[in-house]
Amino acid sequence: MAHELLRDDKGKACIMYVDEVPWHGLGQRHMTPPTAAEAIEAACLNWRVAKTPLFYHESIAVTGIVPGYYAVVPTEGWIKRERPVFGVVTDQYEPLQNSEAFSFFDPLVKDGKATYETAGALGEGERVWVMAKLNKTMRIGQRGNDEVQQYLLLSNSHDGKSAVQIKFTPIRVVCNNTLSLALQLGEAVKIEHTQDVNRQMDLARDIFARVTTQYDRIEEDFQKMARVPVVQKQIEEYFGKIFPDPNPPQDKTGEARYEAEKKRAVRDRECCEVLFENPRNKLPGTANTVWAVYNAVTDYVDHRHAVGNNRALNPSIRLQSIWFGKGSAIKIHAFDTALTLLSNR
């Protein structure tokens, strides 16, 4: 099923994590932070990909190579009997091996600034990710009792459809919310799959030596959110902007869909209001603030939001959504909208 976690022929999920079992409950557990080699092994990612020629076959007498195009397929170390075609690419595409993707974080890990936290693969293996935890914690609120851990998330696609992406992914400890953010440098640093990809990875290391200071700015925003109280009207307006009613249909053929989407939007807003009142959002020093309404949305998207589709309740499909898909976009919108509540004061 598209976007689910890759599994080997024995049904083993290709994901590893450190210490506490994550909310999705999937993968191989490490009690202590692993090395890059151990993380790759535990997540079943110690395989390589290659560009292979594409052939056409019209008849016994008419066959040949498709010029300028290649199939990206897994090769040595592949974990399943069947070898899927991840994608079709051109001459300019240069594969980035899983081990090379991990190497981005190696300098941070070697310097003791980060540890490998989780890694895995989605779909048939066409998307691979690795997350590193930075050794610094934000403490939000007057009492500093709302902890947010700092992470860097790298995703690498083997299907030729997307670049290598590296993004900030803070996680609120109290309810394991992933706080996807749109930063000054964009939602993510993107590195195209070209023959220059390894040089660009080196440049990305230099970029992040400077960009990690952006976390200081993010923490300032979080602290401001925790100091600004909200009243009921602001709460309702905020959730209304994140989950607005759909536009009315142009004709009767769209009425059923309109009513279903409107009902879903009402449900989304009501669920967020319930989560706003949840004890996890009533910590001393942060209760009834912009920080609390923002985290009501991230809590809902990460752990409850089904996007009108029961398949979205599947843990691995939800993982795809909250890191790379619609869930991530909703949370970025929630963050940006929360900042407007600060600027309007």
Side-chain angles (χ1 to χ4, degrees), residues 120-123 125-129 155-158 162-163 165 320 324:
L122 292 166
E126 65 271 13
R127 167 165 265 169
V128 173
W129 86 87
S155 66
N156 177 34
S157 169
H158 293 306
S162 61
Q165 296 189 41
Q320 154 74 22
F324 308 115

Side-chain angles (χ1 to χ4, degrees), residues 264-280:
R264 186 158 58 244
V266 171
R267 179 205 63 192
D268 292 339
R269 296 193 294 266
E270 290 176 346
C271 287
C272 286
E273 291 202 34
V274 170
L275 291 172
F276 175 74
E277 298 295 337
N278 189 288
R280 290 189 302 234

Side-chain angles (χ1 to χ4, degrees), residues 71-300:
V72 181
V73 298
T75 56
E76 70 177 279
W78 181 239
I79 60 173
K80 303 181 76 171
R81 288 186 297 273
E82 296 183 359
R83 296 183 183 270
V85 174
F86 292 146
V88 175
V89 298
T90 64
D91 289 313
Q92 287 72 38
Y93 181 89
E94 184 69 19
L96 181 71
Q97 303 299 339
N98 297 338
S99 59
E100 293 169 345
F102 273 71
S103 70
F104 175 83
F105 294 132
D106 281 344
L108 291 174
V109 173
K110 184 177 180 180
D111 293 342
K113 296 178 181 178
T115 55
Y116 292 107
E117 183 78 4
T118 185
L122 292 166
E124 289 296 319
E126 65 271 13
R127 167 165 265 169
V128 173
W129 86 87
V130 55
M131 179 181 279
K133 179 181 179 182
L134 303 183
N135 295 333
K136 185 179 179 182
T137 300
M138 300 179 189
R139 299 187 181 277
I140 310 302
Q142 296 175 354
R143 302 189 183 184
N145 56 352
D146 200 349
E147 295 185 8
V148 176
Q149 302 287 357
Q150 301 180 17
Y151 294 84
L152 293 177
L153 175 65
L154 181 147
S155 66
N156 177 34
S157 169
H158 293 306
D159 60 9
K161 295 180 180 179
S162 61
V164 179
Q165 296 189 41
I166 308 158
K167 63 172 69 176
F168 291 96
T169 309
I171 296 182
R172 186 180 182 228
V173 175
V174 70
C175 47
N176 204 27
N177 290 3
T178 55
L179 309 176
S180 298
L181 300 174
L183 304 179
Q184 289 180 354
L185 296 184
E187 179 186 350
V189 174
K190 296 184 178 182
I191 306 169
E192 299 297 334
H193 278 278
T194 67
Q195 293 180 354
D196 207 22
V197 67
N198 287 317
R199 186 183 69 84
Q200 292 189 62
M201 291 295 285
D202 289 336
L203 291 175
R205 293 186 184 94
D206 295 333
I207 289 171
F208 271 107
R210 294 178 281 109
V211 172
T212 48
T213 61
Q214 291 292 329
Y215 259 125
D216 293 336
R217 183 188 62 79
I218 294 168
E219 184 170 4
E220 288 180 8
D221 289 336
F222 287 171
Q223 297 290 9
K224 290 177 184 177
M225 289 182 191
R227 291 194 295 267
V228 176
V230 289
V231 298
Q232 185 60 34
K233 181 180 179 181
Q234 290 174 307
I235 296 168
E236 293 174 358
E237 289 177 348
Y238 177 78
F239 293 143
K241 290 178 180 178
I242 308 305
F243 298 107
D245 287 335
N247 295 322
Q250 299 296 318
D251 52 55
K252 291 185 177 181
T253 60
E255 288 181 355
R257 181 175 181 179
Y258 168 75
E259 291 299 330
E261 291 180 352
K262 184 177 180 180
K263 183 177 180 180
R264 186 158 58 244
V266 171
R267 179 205 63 192
D268 292 339
R269 296 193 294 266
E270 290 176 346
C271 287
C272 286
E273 291 202 34
V274 170
L275 291 172
F276 175 74
E277 298 295 337
N278 189 288
R280 290 189 302 234
N281 257 344
K282 294 295 182 180
L283 298 178
T286 62
N288 303 315
T289 64
V290 175
W291 175 250
V293 292
Y294 166 53
N295 276 283
V297 174
T298 61
D299 190 358
Y300 180 54

Side-chain angles (χ1 to χ4, degrees), residues 5-8 10-16 26-28 42-44 121:
L5 290 169
L6 172 65
R7 296 176 182 270
D8 64 15
K10 296 181 180 179
K12 177 182 176 182
C14 294
I15 180 173
M16 61 76 57
L26 301 170
Q28 287 59 252
C44 310

